[in-house]
Amino acid sequence: MRPRPTRIPDAALRMRPHRTSAGSGTTHTRRPLTALLTSLVIMAGCGVQPSDAIEAGDPPSGAVESAIAITLYFVRDDKLTAVTRPVGGPLFPQDTLALLAAGPTARERSRGYTTQVPAQAGPFSVTAAPAGRLIVTLSTPADKLSTLATDQIICTATTTTPDNATQVTIIGAGKTIGPRTCPL
């Protein structure tokens, strides 16, 4: 006598995935994928129609404003005042102090800004010290600077470092001022 084949209920047959002839997937996986691809093809064909180039006028012209600016502390009405000046690129701290000693631009002078830092104070050297301190070395005696010139150097120097050092010592010709903080 022959064994009887086991009958699988119809519901189980519907849930069981069937292999395709290529054996690369199931019919349950292929149907949603086919529907998705068909939808994408239909949607891609709708929407924006091709057009000619649209005229928008002349391209921008003129000077481009520098995105980098430095802060220099000048004197105006006998008071220390911060002035932001655009520059062509990043500057070393000693270069920023050299600009301070060179004094305000013609435009800044027309607005009443001056400097008390003597041009002979440069070239400058700036050294980072521990605990957020800077040491600025001048080419002239430090004790010959006016109070405003000292404050100009201290405030400008603190803005030149990424961590904005809090205390500055000025050294020049064997004389030392500080450590001090910017009074502003």
Side-chain angles (χ1 to χ4, degrees):
M1 185 163 155
R2 231 167 134 186
R4 287 178 109 184
T6 308
R7 179 160 162 59
I8 300 173
D10 289 339
L13 286 174
R14 278 181 271 164
M15 296 180 73
R16 189 171 143 208
H18 300 286
R19 288 274 171 205
T20 60
S21 60
S24 62
T26 65
T27 56
H28 293 292
T29 306
R30 185 172 277 185
R31 284 182 193 146
L33 182 60
T34 303
L36 175 66
L37 290 174
T38 303
S39 298
L40 288 174
V41 169
I42 290 171
M43 286 191 297
C46 299
V48 180
Q49 299 296 319
S51 67
D52 292 332
I54 299 171
E55 292 295 324
D58 293 331
S61 63
V64 176
E65 178 114 5
S66 174
I68 298 176
I70 58 170
T71 301
L72 302 170
Y73 284 83
F74 288 121
V75 177
R76 183 176 178 186
D77 299 326
D78 293 322
K79 294 184 175 109
L80 198 59
T81 306
V83 175
T84 302
R85 184 187 289 180
V87 291
L91 296 176
F92 290 106
Q94 56 268 25
D95 297 329
T96 303
L97 290 173
L99 290 175
L100 177 69
T105 63
R107 183 175 182 189
E108 291 163 344
R109 279 192 307 276
S110 72
R111 294 181 175 171
Y113 296 107
T114 62
T115 187
Q116 290 193 9
V117 177
Q120 309 87 317
F124 297 89
S125 164
V126 180
T127 308
R133 294 178 51 195
L134 287 178
I135 298 172
V136 175
T137 305
L138 313 175
S139 299
T140 57
D143 64 343
K144 300 292 182 197
L145 295 174
S146 69
T147 302
L148 278 174
T150 301
D151 290 342
Q152 282 184 267
I153 292 170
I154 290 169
C155 293
T156 299
T158 59
T159 65
T160 63
T161 59
D163 58 351
N164 287 335
T166 57
Q167 293 191 327
V168 177
T169 300
I170 299 174
I171 300 172
K175 305 296 181 180
T176 302
I177 299 173
R180 290 190 26 199
T181 59
C182 178
L184 298 180

